Amino acid sequence: MGAIFTLEMKKNLQDKGLLFWMVILPIIFTYLFIEIFTSGADDIAKLEVITSIVPGYIVMFVFFIMISMVTSFIKDRDSGMTARIASAPIKPKFYLLGKWLPYILIVCVQIFILFSFGKVVYDINLEQPILLTSLSIFLAYMVTGFGLFLALSVKTENMGIALTQVIALGGALISGLWVPIDMMPNMLQKTAEFLPQYWAHQALQDTMHGTLAYKDFFTASGVLFAYGTSGFLLAVIRYRSFLKVARS
């Protein structure tokens, strides 16, 4: 598992496109939309907008790690790497963990960079840093767990990219990452409660304000953990079908 982890990290560190998707593009979007929505606003309104947009765009853009995960698994499948590893004495769950853990680490670094950008440029409040850090780890766990399942389920890279965009952008729209949830129709507000993006966004905002209660922290963390674990378990189940395609 350690060798797989090391190899996966090396591949991602050499991928310049990953830096664009995970850091540069989120910063550009965050800056542009803050400038648009805070134009002419007073200091109080401006702070509220920034406190919504920064975590909102972080939650949205972490989902784009799934593109890299899909690309990695499909390249391994088509190059014969997956079949060769399967012939070695390593259990599927350890192979998947070796591929999965680097992406959890990458997303944690991404979240740290984007919150640091918000702090340096906009002086955002980070009133509950321990809870914020914990939620960030759960968020990274959730999105990469779901990405693991997606990577083993799609047949082509294009399909993976398309589904990632649907999940990231569609989830952002419904979960109130673009528009405050209170301004959305009641039906969409109810639907948002079934999505992990909603729970992550609301909890991160509250940590920034310093108002996140422990009960709400455990609820949000539980939702993110459940989604991530479900993704991993489904990936383990899906691995056998993925391996058949690799061997063929």
Side-chain angles (χ1 to χ4, degrees):
M1 187 181 82
I4 296 172
F5 173 88
T6 302
L7 178 61
E8 199 67 24
M9 282 300 300
K10 286 182 178 178
K11 289 193 297 184
N12 281 291
L13 290 174
Q14 295 170 356
D15 183 5
K16 295 181 180 179
L18 186 65
L19 177 64
F20 174 78
W21 281 104
M22 304 301 291
V23 177
I24 297 175
L25 191 64
I27 287 177
I28 292 173
F29 267 72
T30 300
Y31 175 79
L32 289 177
F33 276 83
I34 286 177
E35 290 301 310
I36 291 171
F37 287 108
T38 59
S39 178
D42 57 45
D43 290 342
I44 296 177
K46 186 175 182 178
L47 179 62
E48 287 299 317
V49 171
I50 293 172
T51 305
S52 177
I53 287 180
V54 171
Y57 277 68
I58 289 174
V59 173
M60 181 177 72
F61 275 101
V62 295
F63 277 86
F64 285 93
I65 192 64
M66 295 195 294
I67 294 176
S68 295
M69 297 180 74
V70 167
T71 300
S72 177
F73 274 92
I74 289 182
K75 283 184 176 178
D76 281 1
R77 182 197 69 189
D78 294 345
S79 67
M81 178 67 75
T82 302
R84 289 196 296 272
I85 291 175
S87 64
I90 180 173
K91 294 182 179 180
K93 62 182 179 181
F94 292 121
Y95 165 68
L96 295 177
L97 281 172
K99 297 279 287 185
W100 183 18
L101 292 176
Y103 292 100
I104 295 178
L105 179 59
I106 289 168
V107 173
C108 286
V109 172
Q110 176 195 18
I111 295 171
F112 173 78
I113 291 173
L114 296 179
F115 268 119
S116 297
F117 167 78
K119 183 64 177 177
V120 171
V121 177
Y122 298 107
D123 193 28
I124 58 175
N125 295 321
L126 302 173
E127 298 294 337
Q128 295 174 301
I130 295 177
L131 296 185
L132 188 147
T133 301
S134 300
L135 284 168
S136 298
I137 294 172
F138 279 113
L139 176 59
Y141 175 83
M142 179 276 296
V143 69
T144 53
F146 200 78
L148 196 65
F149 171 59
L150 180 67
L152 295 179
S153 301
V154 298
K155 295 182 179 180
T156 65
E157 287 186 45
N158 287 337
M159 184 183 297
I161 292 172
L163 287 175
T164 297
Q165 291 175 339
V166 170
I167 294 168
L169 302 180
L173 176 63
I174 297 173
S175 301
L177 307 188
W178 292 349
V179 179
I181 194 74
D182 296 338
M183 297 175 60
M184 297 171 62
N186 289 333
M187 184 180 69
L188 288 182
Q189 291 187 38
K190 295 293 184 182
T191 303
E193 294 180 5
F194 292 95
L195 301 179
Q197 292 99 317
Y198 165 81
W199 292 99
H201 186 217
Q202 297 300 313
L204 289 173
Q205 283 189 96
D206 288 343
T207 62
M208 294 169 68
H209 286 298
T211 59
L212 182 66
Y214 281 103
K215 175 184 176 182
D216 296 328
F217 166 75
F218 287 118
T219 299
S221 299
V223 170
L224 298 177
F225 180 79
Y227 268 93
T229 302
S230 298
F232 177 68
L233 294 177
L234 289 171
V236 172
I237 295 171
R238 179 65 190 170
Y239 178 72
R240 184 171 297 179
S241 298
F242 179 79
L243 185 57
K244 286 181 181 179
V245 176
R247 284 174 170 169
S248 66

